[in-house]
Amino acid sequence: MPASSAVRQVDAAPPQQLARRVLHDPQPALGGFSGETFAGQWFRERAFVRLYLRDPSRAVVDLGVRRRLTGSVPQARLLAAEPRPVDGLPPHLVTAAVPGVRGDLLLERGATVPAATALARQLARLVTVLRETRVDGAGPFVDGALAVGEWPAPLSTLSAWARHLEPDLAAAGLGPRSAPGLLAALDAASVRLQHAPSGPPSLVHGDLNPKNLVVDPDTGRLRAVLDWEHAHGGSWLEDVGNLLRAVDQGLHLAEQAPLPRGATSRADVVRSWEALRHGLVDGLHEGLLVGGTGRAPGSEDWLRQAADADLFALLELAARPARGPAAPAPVARARASLRRLAGVPDRVLGDA
């Protein structure tokens, strides 16, 4: 069947109905926000299927990322792969469920300090592995060999990206009237990024945060890194910024929001997130000393650069069309982070 015909049939079927042709009793994956990942049974094994509906060509890229990182990064075991549309099904990958708990859930319930510290050290090593995985340039991967293409013009600088997204940011309560300091803060970050020293481009996960980690709840051992759909070529500091943003948001919620079910105490949750941050920063600093030029940059330099590099992803997340209480938690948290950057009180605002 020609691929175009398969795609037309795929478009007409609900994703869960398509997933039923791959897994037994598929249900939307908990914590997934794409609407394209389902959990179910693969013969007698618990498994997940990722359907590539919005971007079918990405399946080949994700397989290429898996191949490049085999043996160096813990990943869910691949059970089946169909990187092209066939028989009315979109491209899809089937992976085995990994025993453990999602990293964000473990931390939000109050992981022990030794477990959080152990996880932090492993994340520092993970970032180091990705930093040493060289690619041809900064940009999106375009094929299974991880050839690098060019970013669209709006992604040329952080300032250009912010202005491209300005109408959507305004609709989300982050426009020039409701968050008047935001564009100025983004312009300053854009200037810093343009003048910051840049190392050779490497493989970037693109969404590296605790919700995409499977962790042993007792020891903090990292069992798998999930969801490589945003992987691209760029600076390792993008992943560092994403991780540290998740820590900052976790601390903010631990100090202000109601505790989730199963949490030990507010103090334990705060200590859990603080241990993750300290262990990650210390581990990365040591890695820079060992693997760099013989000296590490000042912490304030690379930590600030990491936060600036993460703003590209933060803006895209905040500008998504979901509004008000219907916005998924990551979108709402991204908007809250940008409000804090702009010096606006942390509450939902309109831009009338």
Side-chain angles (χ1 to χ4, degrees), residues 258-299:
L259 289 177
R261 181 179 299 178
T264 50
S265 72
R266 195 173 298 277
D268 285 342
V269 176
V270 169
R271 278 193 289 269
S272 178
W273 284 108
E274 287 178 341
L276 184 73
R277 182 183 182 92
H278 292 322
L280 177 62
V281 172
D282 289 349
L284 288 170
H285 194 78
E286 292 170 8
L288 288 170
L289 279 170
V290 172
T293 58
R295 66 178 181 86
S299 295

Side-chain angles (χ1 to χ4, degrees), residues 90-168:
H92 56 276
L93 304 182
V94 182
T95 53
V98 179
V101 64
R102 263 180 29 206
D104 59 328
L105 299 180
L106 178 64
L107 292 157
E108 288 169 2
R109 295 167 186 164
T112 65
V113 169
T117 301
L119 175 59
R121 291 288 178 161
Q122 291 169 91
L123 289 176
R125 290 195 291 273
L126 169 64
V127 170
T128 299
V129 168
L130 296 181
R131 188 180 76 216
E132 294 173 352
T133 305
R134 302 285 185 244
V135 296
D136 293 336
F141 295 137
V142 297
D143 59 24
L146 305 189
V148 178
E150 293 186 2
W151 292 121
L155 284 163
S156 59
T157 67
L158 185 61
S159 290
W161 186 228
R163 280 159 178 76
H164 176 75
L165 296 175
E166 193 169 357
D168 295 318

Side-chain angles (χ1 to χ4, degrees), residues 27-316:
Q27 302 296 323
L30 295 177
F33 302 103
S34 68
E36 298 183 350
T37 303
F38 296 86
Q41 292 293 126
W42 172 264
F43 295 94
R44 296 184 179 183
E45 188 167 6
R46 186 71 173 166
F48 292 86
V49 61
R50 170 62 198 273
L51 305 173
Y52 291 84
L53 292 164
R54 289 172 299 174
D55 185 6
S57 63
R58 183 71 200 189
V60 173
V61 174
D62 284 0
L63 281 171
V65 171
R66 288 184 62 92
R67 283 194 295 268
R68 181 71 67 90
L69 297 176
T70 296
S72 59
V73 172
Q75 303 179 63
R77 182 164 48 92
L78 186 65
L79 298 175
E82 182 48 73
R84 292 176 176 78
V86 61
D87 294 333
L89 277 173
H92 56 276
L93 304 182
V94 182
T95 53
V98 179
V101 64
R102 263 180 29 206
D104 59 328
L105 299 180
L106 178 64
L107 292 157
E108 288 169 2
R109 295 167 186 164
T112 65
V113 169
T117 301
L119 175 59
R121 291 288 178 161
Q122 291 169 91
L123 289 176
R125 290 195 291 273
L126 169 64
V127 170
T128 299
V129 168
L130 296 181
R131 188 180 76 216
E132 294 173 352
T133 305
R134 302 285 185 244
V135 296
D136 293 336
F141 295 137
V142 297
D143 59 24
L146 305 189
V148 178
E150 293 186 2
W151 292 121
L155 284 163
S156 59
T157 67
L158 185 61
S159 290
W161 186 228
R163 280 159 178 76
H164 176 75
L165 296 175
E166 193 169 357
D168 295 318
L169 291 171
L174 293 164
R177 295 180 62 183
S178 56
L182 181 59
L183 281 179
L186 293 171
D187 285 341
S190 185
V191 170
R192 289 194 298 268
L193 284 173
Q194 291 177 70
H195 290 88
S198 60
S202 58
L203 195 155
V204 177
H205 181 283
D207 194 19
L208 190 58
N209 60 73
K211 78 176 179 63
N212 286 329
L213 308 174
V214 181
V215 182
D216 184 298
D218 298 318
T219 65
R221 177 188 173 192
L222 179 60
R223 294 191 178 276
V225 183
L226 308 177
D227 294 344
W228 294 84
E229 63 186 280
H230 300 292
H232 60 273
S235 167
W236 63 280
L237 288 167
E238 297 176 55
D239 281 338
V240 176
N242 201 318
L243 281 168
L244 293 178
R245 186 214 320 162
V247 172
D248 290 342
Q249 291 176 343
L251 281 169
H252 186 75
L253 289 172
E255 292 166 352
Q256 297 191 12
L259 289 177
R261 181 179 299 178
T264 50
S265 72
R266 195 173 298 277
D268 285 342
V269 176
V270 169
R271 278 193 289 269
S272 178
W273 284 108
E274 287 178 341
L276 184 73
R277 182 183 182 92
H278 292 322
L280 177 62
V281 172
D282 289 349
L284 288 170
H285 194 78
E286 292 170 8
L288 288 170
L289 279 170
V290 172
T293 58
R295 66 178 181 86
S299 295
E300 68 281 357
D301 295 333
W302 65 269
L303 287 175
R304 169 58 72 88
Q305 191 176 346
D308 290 344
D310 179 54
L311 287 170
F312 283 94
L314 189 62
L315 284 170
E316 188 278 328

